[in-house]
Amino acid sequence: MALRPIQVNFKARDDSALGRFWAEALGWGVSSEGPGVTNLEPEGFAWPDPDAFYVDLVTVPDPETVKYRVHLDLATTSAAHQAELVARLKELGATPADVGQGDVPWTVLADPEGNVFCVLEPREIYRDTGQIAAVVVDCDDPRAMARFWDEALDWTLHEVTDDHALLRSAEGVGPYLKFLRTTGVRTVWNRIHLDLLPYPIDDQEAEVARLRALGATAADVGQGDVPWKVLADPEGNEFCVLGRG
């Protein structure tokens, strides 16, 4: 088994504009593999460096028909850093968001296309993740998600409770993957999803077969004839297994 999350993928109305926001927000470099796609890379890394995590933004016809079930948590190192980052993000075009969070130490914002994300207060667990602390996935059953994703990835399961599950690279680099218990019925596909990279990349078909044996199912989000395979986990969250091309 050799499969790891390599990037998070945003569906966008305007990949270039949204890409500029997130590049400024994260302090990352910007490139493009083709029309309608903006690629963000942390400085000093080139895709697909195993020690890095990336962001892709892809223009789709109607991103408003998708659901915000996945979001990013951004890390900070101090209360002053958190306040400074929130202020800078607002200058870049982020707006305050109310998702029913109440009185909490983190700040909930939305990017210029309405994607909600959190700027966390300083937390020791996220001190070495880089700008992205975690990719957070709302779910009904964190323990079931932990069982699937622990088998699916060559990442380490750090914590699992009735309320959340937490995984991270076995090398202890990059963001965490967090499954958070949340109520609500899922009826549409996600606006943000994970892309998984097999290594070697020629193992794509074998990895897809293994994932389906674990409980993943084929998913059609209108992708057409593409070199990646779109699957959904046992709760219906889409993800892609990348291949050559």
Side-chain angles (χ1 to χ4, degrees):
M1 177 186 70
L3 190 67
R4 65 182 173 89
I6 186 68
Q7 62 198 18
V8 67
N9 183 298
F10 282 71
K11 296 174 177 65
R13 288 190 298 273
D14 184 337
D15 64 280
S16 181
L18 193 59
R20 285 194 298 272
F21 169 84
W22 280 103
E24 290 289 338
L26 300 172
W28 288 10
V30 183
S31 62
S32 177
E33 65 190 66
V37 181
T38 297
N39 312 106
L40 307 184
E41 301 176 348
E43 295 294 344
F45 294 93
W47 195 97
D49 192 304
D51 290 337
F53 188 76
Y54 305 87
V55 174
D56 268 11
L57 304 102
V58 180
T59 293
V60 298
D62 187 7
E64 295 308 320
T65 62
V66 302
K67 182 178 177 62
Y68 306 97
R69 202 180 187 193
V70 182
H71 73 266
L72 299 183
D73 281 351
L74 304 186
T76 63
T77 57
S78 66
H81 180 209
Q82 182 186 17
E84 175 188 351
L85 180 56
V86 168
R88 185 168 65 84
L89 291 166
K90 288 180 178 179
E91 290 177 358
L92 292 172
T95 53
D98 186 348
V99 293
Q101 69 269 21
D103 184 16
V104 293
W106 58 88
T107 302
V108 184
L109 299 174
D111 72 16
E113 289 201 8
N115 299 296
V116 172
F117 64 97
C118 298
V119 181
L120 302 180
E121 76 285 3
R123 300 185 190 183
E124 179 64 20
I125 190 173
Y126 298 139
R127 62 180 173 79
D128 62 352
T129 59
Q131 295 91 333
I132 301 176
V135 179
V136 183
V137 182
D138 294 346
C139 69
D140 296 321
D141 187 344
R143 291 189 183 277
M145 288 294 93
R147 285 193 296 272
F148 172 81
W149 285 98
D150 189 33
E151 290 288 336
L153 305 176
D154 62 349
W155 278 21
T156 300
L157 179 62
H158 284 266
E159 190 175 324
V160 59
T161 71
D162 289 341
D163 294 320
H164 69 270
L166 207 58
L167 299 95
R168 195 187 189 196
S169 158
E171 287 75 35
V173 296
Y176 285 81
L177 177 58
K178 183 175 184 177
F179 293 92
L180 186 65
R181 181 184 290 278
T182 308
T183 58
V185 177
R186 182 182 183 281
T187 58
V188 291
W189 40 290
N190 290 331
R191 188 169 181 175
I192 302 173
H193 70 259
L194 285 172
D195 286 343
L196 309 183
L197 182 70
Y199 49 102
I201 200 165
D202 291 334
D203 284 350
Q204 181 196 44
E205 290 296 336
E207 288 298 320
V208 167
R210 184 178 65 83
L211 291 165
R212 296 192 69 166
L214 291 173
T217 54
D220 186 351
V221 294
Q223 67 269 21
D225 184 18
V226 292
W228 56 89
K229 303 297 184 182
V230 185
L231 300 175
D233 72 16
E235 287 200 8
N237 297 297
E238 293 87 9
F239 60 93
C240 295
V241 180
L242 303 183
R244 291 194 181 277

